[in-house]
Amino acid sequence: MGILEAAKPAIVVCTRDRARSTAFYRDTLGLPLAYEDNLAAVFQIGGVTLRVSTVPDFTPHEHTILGFTVPDVAATVKALREKGLVFNRYPAFTQDELGILTVPGGTVQVAWFKDPDGNVLSVTNA
């Protein structure tokens, strides 16, 4: 067995404004806030810990840092749009009116959006 094979992953998302990000992940995305400590707001998602940690000079990456696998991408996108989220459009992809890419030749769908710090998140059925 590998050294970390049985370990549970923990996700760390960086933010410049923890209060704003905590509200986004809790109120907009509907994630349950487990607790806050001096270092992070901590959420539990599907048995995995998500820590939203303050990094004052943080600069977000341009790629997806966190994805959520959902049973119905279109329904999830519609629900998040009702919460005010805007979904990213990428010129290299053919996305539908909701901003969903259906991967050519299959049934895999994905749509991207950003958190308040510009971190790219996604919803997908794969």
Side-chain angles (χ1 to χ4, degrees):
M1 179 183 339
I3 294 170
L4 296 177
E5 184 177 343
K8 271 176 75 172
I11 302 162
V12 179
V13 172
C14 298
T15 180
R16 291 179 297 275
D17 183 337
R18 192 168 92 190
R20 179 185 65 188
S21 288
T22 299
F24 173 80
Y25 283 90
R26 181 190 60 224
D27 303 335
T28 303
L29 300 187
L31 303 180
L33 178 65
Y35 64 91
E36 290 190 68
D37 59 28
N38 291 335
L39 300 175
V42 181
F43 298 87
Q44 292 295 323
I45 312 163
V48 175
T49 300
L50 168 64
R51 297 181 63 85
V52 178
S53 299
T54 305
V55 178
D57 60 348
F58 170 69
T59 302
H61 297 284
E62 296 182 20
H63 60 274
T64 307
I65 63 152
L66 175 61
F68 297 91
T69 303
V70 298
D72 187 333
V73 174
T76 302
V77 167
K78 288 175 185 174
L80 290 171
R81 286 172 65 121
E82 288 177 6
K83 293 276 201 169
L85 284 185
V86 174
F87 282 79
N88 303 358
R89 297 265 176 196
Y90 297 102
F93 296 139
T94 302
Q95 294 166 266
D96 68 14
E97 66 280 353
L98 295 174
I100 300 169
L101 166 70
T102 299
V103 177
T107 58
V108 174
Q109 295 182 311
V110 62
W112 299 268
F113 59 96
K114 293 182 179 179
D115 75 2
D117 286 281
N119 292 306
V120 179
L121 312 177
S122 69
V123 290
T124 185
N125 63 348

